[in-house]
Amino acid sequence: MENSIIQRIKSYISPELIDNLGFTTNEPEANINKGFDIAIPAILASLFQKDKNALSGLFTSVKSIFTDENTDFATKISSMPSVLSELFDGHKSEVVNSISTAAGIGHGSAETVLNTSALGVFDYLKGIAPDFDLGTIKEFIGTNFSSVSSLLPAGLAIPGITGWTDTHKIDVDPANNVPPPPVTPPVPPTPVETHHYASNEEARRQDKKEGSSILKILIPLLLGIVLIFILYRSCNEHFISTSDTTDRTDTVTTSPASTPVSENTTPATREKLKVELPGGVTLDAYKGGIEDRLVAFLKTDYKGKSEEELKNVWFDFDNLNFETGKAVVTADSKVQLDNIVAILKAFPDAKIKIGGYTDKTGNESYNLKLSTDRAMTVKKYIADAGLGSQVTGAEGYGSEFATRDASASEEERALDRRISVSPR
C-alpha cells in the first residue's frame, strides 16, 4: 500500500496532472507516477538530513514564494529549479538522472516531475507549518523519516541520503547527459495506484502512436497548460467526480477520533451544560461534548503522560458543521470554535493538534485534501484569535481511520466525518 505521507502530498497534485503528464511527454503513466513516488520522498529526505542553519536560507526563499497569495503558478514553478539546486547542494542534475533511471522516464520528464513534486511538498508543508517554522517541519519529517527513506531506490544521488559518497554517484556521460545502463538488473517498478485510468490505457497508447508527430509540436504547449491544473487549495473542484459531490450532512459528530484510543464517547442525549474555566469564565456547551471533556482532561496531570500516550488521545468537535464539500465553517458553528479559543486562553500552557477525517465514500485524493483543508480552517480560526502558537499542527487523514463501510447508512457514515483535537 502506498505510504500515507506520500499519498497526502500527492493529493496536492491532481491525478489528472500525473495522467496527462504521461500523455504529453509520451511516457507510461505508471512510470510518471513512479517518478513522483521517488521525487517526493527524495525531497523530504534531503530536507530532513540538513541542519536548521543550512535550511534557513532555503526556507527564506520558499516562504517568500508561498506566503504571498498573489504569487501565480508560473512564478512558483519557475522558482523551483533554484530552490532544488540549493536543497541538493548543487547536485540537482544527479538527482534528476537518478529519478530518470529508476522510474524509466526521460531526463526532461524527470526534471518536470521533480519541480512539480517540490511545489506539492512545499505547499503541503505550508499546511503543517504556515510560517514554515523549521522546528515544526523537521519534527514532522523526522516522525515519518523511516517510512519515507525506505521508498528511495538504492544509489539515489542525494548528498547524505542512502549512503551517499562519491562512489555512490551515478556517473553521467557529458556528451549527452544520460546515465549509463545500471550494472545490476533494474528493480521491478513499485505497484502504483492507477485510479480509474487503467480501463482506457490501450486506447490511449494507440492514440499516442498515431499522433506522435503532432505531439512533437504540441508537447511543450500541452505540458504548460496541463501544469496549470495542479490541484492547490483554491483550484481543484472541477476535477471532483460525481461521487465526491454527493450531498452530505457534513456535520462533525461525536465519535472516536481515530482507530487508536479516543477519550470520547457518544452521549445518549444532548443535555446543555455550563463549563467553568479557570478564572470564572463559563461556556455554554453540551454534557459530554468537546468543551466538557477537553476541560476535564486539561485539569488533570496530563503533562505526566508520555508523547506516545498523548498521540492517542483525541476529542471530537460535536457542533461543528461545514458547507457541503467545502472547508467553509457554517455561521452557527463558530460558537464552538470560540469556545475552544476560550479554553486555550484559560490554559495557556496547553497545546493541541487538529485532525480532519472523512468517510469512505468518494475519491480518496479529494477526501485527503478536503479533510486537510477543514483541519487547516480550524487552525487558522484559532491562529486569527492570537493563539496560533498553541496549535502544533493540523493534518487531514481522509478516510484512513473511517470504520464504517461506504455502503453504510448516512447516519453511520456521518460519524466518520469529523474534526478532532489532541492535547499536547
Side-chain angles (χ1 to χ4, degrees):
M1 184 170 69
E2 190 176 80
N3 179 277
S4 60
I5 299 301
I6 306 305
Q7 187 179 2
R8 288 169 200 157
I9 293 174
K10 285 177 70 177
S11 72
Y12 283 72
I13 306 169
S14 78
E16 284 77 9
L17 171 63
I18 297 174
D19 184 45
N20 283 325
L21 276 178
F23 182 77
T24 57
T25 59
N26 207 26
E27 307 274 12
E29 283 90 0
N31 291 18
I32 289 290
N33 214 324
K34 183 171 177 59
F36 280 101
D37 289 340
I38 297 170
I40 292 173
I43 293 168
L44 291 174
S46 191
L47 286 171
F48 177 71
Q49 62 94 31
K50 291 182 177 296
D51 59 36
K52 291 184 180 179
N53 290 333
L55 289 177
S56 179
L58 183 144
F59 271 97
T60 297
S61 301
V62 170
K63 187 174 180 179
S64 67
I65 297 169
F66 283 85
T67 56
D68 185 353
E69 298 298 332
N70 295 320
T71 303
D72 58 23
F73 175 86
T75 300
K76 288 180 179 178
I77 196 69
S78 66
S79 302
M80 288 303 99
S82 61
V83 170
L84 288 168
S85 180
E86 183 176 353
L87 174 63
F88 295 126
D89 296 330
H91 295 286
K92 180 185 173 229
S93 62
E94 288 102 316
V95 178
V96 171
N97 287 334
S98 294
I99 294 172
S100 173
T101 300
I105 56 180
H107 183 276
S109 302
E111 184 161 20
T112 298
V113 165
L114 183 61
N115 290 335
T116 309
S117 295
L119 215 54
V121 167
F122 289 124
D123 195 23
Y124 183 80
L125 292 179
K126 180 185 175 185
I128 301 297
D131 293 327
F132 289 108
D133 176 70
L134 296 183
T136 302
I137 290 173
K138 291 276 283 187
E139 180 182 1
F140 168 75
I141 299 176
T143 302
N144 301 281
F145 181 71
S146 60
S147 62
V148 168
S149 60
S150 67
L151 299 178
L152 295 171
L156 188 67
I158 306 177
I161 303 298
T162 63
W164 168 272
T165 64
D166 286 343
T167 59
H168 284 84
K169 293 182 182 179
I170 295 180
D171 294 325
V172 177
D173 180 353
N176 53 24
N177 201 34
V178 176
V183 177
T184 57
V187 179
T190 303
V192 177
E193 292 183 25
T194 56
H195 301 279
H196 56 280
Y197 312 124
S199 61
N200 63 355
E201 180 72 11
E202 186 174 348
R204 185 169 295 163
R205 292 287 179 267
Q206 182 63 28
D207 288 342
K208 290 178 185 177
K209 182 177 179 181
E210 294 175 354
S212 59
S213 59
I214 298 177
L215 283 176
K216 289 179 182 178
I217 300 174
L218 294 180
I219 282 175
L221 176 61
L222 289 173
L223 185 57
I225 295 173
V226 169
L227 287 177
I228 298 299
F229 292 99
I230 187 169
L231 290 187
Y232 288 100
R233 294 178 176 82
S234 62
C235 58
N236 72 332
E237 293 199 4
H238 62 289
F239 287 129
I240 300 169
S241 65
T242 303
S243 61
D244 294 327
T245 55
T246 301
D247 187 32
R248 300 177 180 174
T249 304
D250 284 350
T251 300
V252 178
T253 57
T254 50
S255 62
S258 64
T259 301
V261 180
S262 173
E263 291 292 317
N264 297 311
T265 56
T266 305
T269 60
R270 301 300 289 160
E271 178 183 343
K272 290 187 177 181
L273 177 75
K274 293 284 187 181
V275 176
E276 186 172 345
L277 302 178
V281 176
T282 59
L283 305 176
D284 291 323
Y286 292 103
K287 185 175 181 179
I290 189 172
E291 300 94 337
D292 185 14
R293 293 178 176 275
L294 181 58
V295 170
F297 183 83
L298 294 177
K299 287 181 178 179
T300 67
D301 186 25
Y302 74 95
K303 291 291 187 181
K305 291 180 177 289
S306 68
E307 182 180 347
E308 194 63 30
E309 289 175 309
L310 289 176
K311 282 171 58 177
N312 292 325
V313 177
W314 291 85
F315 299 90
D316 298 339
F317 280 90
D318 54 290
N319 194 30
L320 177 62
N321 304 313
F322 293 85
E323 292 182 12
T324 302
K326 298 180 180 179
V328 179
V329 175
T330 59
D332 60 322
S333 299
K334 294 181 179 179
V335 173
Q336 189 154 72
L337 289 176
D338 288 336
N339 284 350
I340 297 301
V341 168
I343 291 172
L344 291 177
K345 287 181 178 179
F347 294 90
D349 293 334
K351 296 182 184 296
I352 60 172
K353 178 179 179 179
I354 301 167
Y357 307 82
T358 68
D359 62 26
K360 291 183 178 179
T361 62
N363 178 276
E364 183 57 20
S365 292
Y366 172 64
N367 286 341
L368 278 169
K369 186 148 187 355
L370 180 63
S371 61
T372 298
D373 287 348
R374 287 181 170 179
M376 287 302 302
T377 293
V378 175
K379 180 179 180 179
K380 184 178 185 303
Y381 192 95
I382 296 173
D384 288 346
L387 303 175
S389 62
Q390 288 183 252
V391 182
T392 64
E395 190 168 359
Y397 301 97
S399 65
E400 182 178 351
F401 297 107
T403 59
R404 283 81 178 176
D405 191 77
S407 61
S409 67
E410 168 63 22
E411 183 178 8
E412 290 179 296
R413 287 187 288 106
L415 298 176
D416 284 327
R417 300 195 298 267
R418 61 195 186 278
I419 299 292
S420 310
V421 301
S422 176
R424 299 298 163 98

